Amino acid sequence: MTSKKLVNTVAGCADEALAGLVACNPNLQLLHGHRVALRSDLDSLKGRVALLSGGGSGHEPAHAGFIGKGMLTGVIAGAVFTSPAVGSILAAIRAVAQAGTVGTLLIVKNYTGDRLNFGLAREQARAEGIPVEMVVIGDDSAFTVLKKAGRRGLCGTVLIHKVAGALAEAGMGLEEITNRVSVVAKAMGTLGVSLSSCSVPGSKPTFELSPDEVELGLGIHGEAGVRRIKMASANEIVTLMLDHMTASSSVSRVPVQSGSSVVLMVNNLGGLSCLELGIIADAAVHTLEGRGVKIARALVGTFMTALEMPGISLTLLLVDEPLLKLIDAETTASAWPNVAKVSVTGRKRSRAAPAEPLEAPVSTVAGGLTSKRVVLVLERVCTTLLGLEEHLNALDRAAGDGDCGTTHSRAARAIQGWLKEGPPPASPAQLLSKLSLLLLEKMGGSSGALYGLFLTAAAQPLKAKTDLPAWCAAMDAGLEAMQKYGKAAPGDRTMLDSLWAAGQELQAWKSPGANLLQVLTKAVQSAEAAAEATKNMEAGAGRASYISSARLDQPDPGAVAVAAVLRAILEALQGQGV
C-alpha cells in the first residue's frame, strides 16, 4: 500500500517544496529554469568564495535551510532522494561566478550519484575557466570494515556547511577553505537509528521492521542499516550507538575518548516526536559526560531528514577553540539553531527549589479540631472512596477514560499514608492546606487539581475564625475558586453540582444557633440528590461535554464521589456524637 503524502503531484513535489521555502524567505531566490536556490544578496559576495551544496530532496531542512550569510551561497536540489542534474549544478556555479565570486567550493555528500554529477559539473566549469573545488563528506560511522564506496555523507555535512561558511565570510581563499574543511571532515562521525522506514511520495515504505526491532546504522534515503537490534530503552539505544561509533576496532570510528571536546548533534530524521528527541538528547549528554567527554556545544533539532522516518542520528565532531569560533560565527541561515556560545559540560543545570513558607502557629481560636476526630473522619472518607473505585470507574467509562474511581482511590491511599506519618494539624486552615498539597501531588488528573483548588481557597477564611459561619465562608470560597478556574457552573454535569447543592444548605450555618449536624445532614441529602440529577443534565464542561447527551444516562462520577465524601464526613461526625 502506497503511503499517504500531502502533495499535489509526485512529479512536482520537489519543485514545490523548494518554491515554498523561497516564497517564505525573502533572503532566497530561485534560479529560473532550475531547481536551484541562491542567496538573494548574491551581488554582495563579490570577491569572496561561494559555497554550493545539495543533493536529493526529502532531507529538509537540508540543504536549502542552510543558505545564508555565514553558511551556504546556494543549493541544487534533485528529485526526492535523487542527485541533482549536472546542468542545474553547472548553472548554479555560473550564476555565483557571474556575481563576482572568486571561486566556488562544492560540498558534496558521499553518494555515487552526487559525486558523479557534482564532479562532472565541476570539470565543465573548470573547463570554462571558473575556479571550482569539491570536498566529499563521508561521516557515516556505521560500517566496521572498509567499503570501496567509502563512508556515506550524513548529518555531519551540516557542520561542514557551517565551518566553510564562517571561513568564507571571513574572506579566506578557496584553496585554504578546501584544505581546512577537509581536515575537519575527518574528525567527525554520525550514526543513525530508526523505529521504522520512510516512503518516497508515490511509493511503499522502503523496508519493514517488526514491532520489537530497530534499524541501526541506516542512511538518509530509506535504505536499511548495518544490523537490526531489539527495541530497548532510549538510554540503552544511545549507549549502543555511542559504543558503535567510537569502537576502536571500527574503520569508521570517530576517535572520541575521555578528555575529548566535541560538538554533539542530535538530529531528528523526520518523524520522531520532540518529546523523544529531548529524551535522546538527555541520554547522549549524560552518557558522553559519564565517559569523560566534554560537550562544547549541543545542537538538538531537525537538520537532515529522511522524509518522515521516525528516528535519530547522533553526530560527534572533535573540536578545539579555533574550530568552536567557526561553529559560533553568526549566520542568517534559517535552519541553523540559536546555539548558546558556551560549553554544555560544566554548566549548572538546576537550582534549589524555593523553601516552603514557614507554617503559621497553630490556631488557638475556638473551634480547633482534635487529631483523633480528624483521623476518624479522614479514615471514613478514604474507606468510602476505596469501596467506590470500580463503581466510579464504570460511571466514568461512559463519558471519560474510566479512571475516576482509580483517581479517587489514589487520593485515598495518599491520605492513609499521610495519616501514618503523624497526627494531622489541629488547625482547620492548616489541615485543608495540607490536604490540598497532598492531593495536588498524589491524586493527579483534573479531579486532583479541582480538589486542590477547592481546599486551598477554603482554607483561607478559616485562618482567623473556625466557627460555623467561617466554615460556610470556606465552602463559598472553595466553590468560587472551582468556578473561576474550572469554568464549570451548576447544571454543567460535574462534581460542582453536588458541592454547590451542599453549599446552598450550609448557608444556614450563618444563622445564630445553627445546629452543625442538622444543617450538614440536609447538605448531604441535597448533594446526593444533585448527583443523581446529573444523569438528566446536558454536559456543559469537562470531558463529558464532548460526548453526545444521548449516551449519558448515568450520574456524573465526580458528583457521585463528592456526595459520597460528604456522606462519609457526616456519618463519621455522627459516630463521634458531635
Side-chain angles (χ1 to χ4, degrees):
M1 178 179 177
T2 301
S3 298
K4 293 184 289 187
K5 292 284 190 297
L6 286 172
V7 299
N8 292 314
T9 64
V10 171
C13 62
D15 293 283
E16 292 173 359
L18 189 61
L21 178 66
V22 172
C24 297
N25 191 335
N27 297 319
L28 303 182
Q29 290 180 330
L30 290 172
L31 189 62
H32 184 71
H34 298 278
R35 199 182 290 127
V36 174
L38 298 166
R39 286 175 56 172
S40 56
D41 63 345
L42 206 57
D43 294 336
S44 69
L45 298 179
K46 188 174 183 179
R48 297 179 184 271
V49 172
L51 305 174
L52 296 177
S53 188
S57 297
H59 305 306
E60 292 74 17
H63 300 81
F66 301 108
I67 300 174
K69 182 179 180 181
M71 286 194 80
L72 297 177
T73 309
V75 157
I76 309 94
V80 175
F81 293 170
T82 303
S83 179
V86 174
S88 290
I89 301 170
L90 184 58
I93 296 172
R94 288 168 177 164
V96 297
Q98 290 171 9
T101 58
V102 295
T104 298
L105 175 62
L106 304 177
I107 302 173
V108 181
K109 299 189 304 302
N110 187 29
Y111 289 97
T112 302
D114 288 353
R115 287 199 317 271
L116 289 173
N117 289 1
F118 276 89
L120 182 54
R122 176 196 178 218
E123 294 302 320
Q124 291 179 344
R126 286 164 66 94
E128 296 174 9
I130 302 173
V132 183
E133 296 294 342
M134 185 169 95
V135 290
V136 178
I137 309 302
D139 57 313
D140 183 11
S141 290
F143 297 99
T144 56
V145 296
L146 188 63
K147 297 282 185 177
K148 184 176 182 180
R151 299 166 68 183
R152 294 172 294 191
L154 301 175
C155 189
T157 308
V158 175
L159 293 175
I160 300 301
H161 294 160
K162 185 68 182 63
V163 171
L167 293 172
E169 190 64 30
M172 193 168 288
L174 177 59
E175 184 178 354
E176 189 171 359
I177 294 175
T178 304
N179 293 336
R180 289 280 295 274
V181 298
S182 296
V183 172
V184 173
K186 292 181 173 65
M188 69 179 178
T190 298
L191 186 69
V193 68
S194 183
L195 307 179
S196 65
S197 180
C198 62
S199 58
V200 174
S203 301
K204 298 178 181 180
T206 51
F207 61 84
E208 297 289 341
L209 286 174
S210 63
D212 64 340
E213 286 183 322
V214 174
E215 194 79 15
L216 178 72
L218 70 175
I220 53 172
H221 300 102
E223 69 269 41
V226 292
R227 65 187 173 105
R228 291 181 179 179
I229 59 175
K230 290 296 182 181
M231 186 67 193
S233 70
N235 288 339
E236 292 169 325
I237 288 177
V238 166
T239 297
L240 189 150
M241 292 176 72
L242 293 174
D243 287 345
H244 191 98
M245 294 173 70
T246 60
S248 58
S249 60
S250 173
V251 296
S252 64
R253 69 185 290 261
V254 53
V256 171
Q257 56 192 0
S258 180
S260 296
S261 181
V262 302
V263 168
L264 165 69
M265 289 185 79
V266 183
N267 172 56
N268 189 343
L269 285 172
L272 204 70
S273 70
C274 291
L275 178 83
E276 295 162 284
L277 198 64
I279 293 169
I280 294 291
D282 182 63
V285 167
H286 284 93
T287 303
L288 286 169
E289 290 180 339
R291 300 180 181 188
V293 178
K294 177 185 177 182
I295 302 173
R297 303 289 185 271
L299 289 70
V300 182
T302 305
F303 303 98
M304 185 175 288
T305 62
L307 291 168
E308 82 283 19
M309 183 176 285
I312 55 106
S313 66
L314 299 179
T315 299
L316 298 176
L317 169 65
L318 289 159
V319 291
D320 54 17
E321 285 304 316
L323 184 52
L324 275 180
K325 289 182 179 179
L326 298 176
I327 297 291
D328 289 342
E330 296 297 323
T331 179
T332 61
S334 60
W336 183 259
N338 182 21
V339 182
K341 297 177 175 60
V342 293
S343 175
V344 170
T345 301
R347 305 290 294 182
K348 190 174 181 180
R349 293 177 185 149
S350 64
R351 64 171 65 231
E356 294 289 337
L358 295 175
E359 291 185 0
V362 176
S363 173
T364 57
V365 297
L369 306 173
T370 66
S371 292
K372 182 178 179 181
R373 177 176 296 172
V374 170
V375 169
L376 289 172
V377 169
L378 290 178
E379 285 180 343
R380 184 64 171 263
V381 169
C382 292
T383 301
T384 299
L385 290 178
L386 290 170
L388 285 173
E389 179 173 2
E390 184 48 43
H391 177 59
L392 294 176
N393 280 343
L395 292 176
D396 194 33
R397 290 188 192 105
D401 48 10
D403 68 346
C404 182
T406 303
T407 302
H408 282 78
S409 291
R410 191 158 53 236
R413 293 188 181 94
I415 294 172
Q416 287 176 331
W418 175 60
L419 291 175
K420 291 178 182 178
E421 296 173 2
S427 160
Q430 291 183 8
L431 174 65
L432 297 190
S433 294
K434 287 287 187 182
L435 287 172
S436 169
L437 293 173
L438 185 67
L439 297 185
L440 285 169
E441 181 181 355
K442 301 293 186 181
M443 187 175 186
S446 56
S447 295
L450 289 169
Y451 278 117
L453 274 170
F454 177 84
L455 292 170
T456 298
Q460 306 314 307
L462 296 171
K463 289 181 176 179
K465 294 182 179 181
T466 57
D467 55 9
L468 289 180
W471 279 98
C472 180
M475 184 67 152
D476 291 342
L479 288 167
E480 181 181 355
M482 288 183 70
Q483 291 182 87
K484 179 179 180 180
Y485 295 104
K487 297 300 182 183
D492 279 345
R493 199 184 190 276
T494 70
M495 62 189 292
L496 181 67
D497 289 300
S498 292
L499 279 170
W500 180 266
Q504 300 312 295
E505 295 295 340
L506 295 185
Q507 297 300 313
W509 277 348
K510 295 179 180 178
S511 302
N515 182 277
L516 185 154
L517 288 182
Q518 287 180 359
V519 173
L520 184 57
T521 299
K522 290 183 178 180
V524 172
Q525 292 170 347
S526 292
E528 290 172 338
E532 183 65 19
T534 58
K535 69 180 181 181
N536 299 316
M537 293 179 183
E538 182 82 20
R543 189 179 285 112
S545 63
Y546 301 103
I547 306 296
S548 169
S549 58
R551 293 172 54 192
L552 301 175
D553 55 1
Q554 296 292 324
D556 178 73
V560 171
V562 166
V565 168
L566 293 174
R567 169 63 68 181
I569 293 172
L570 172 63
E571 292 177 350
L573 293 175
Q574 288 173 332
Q576 297 173 50
V578 174

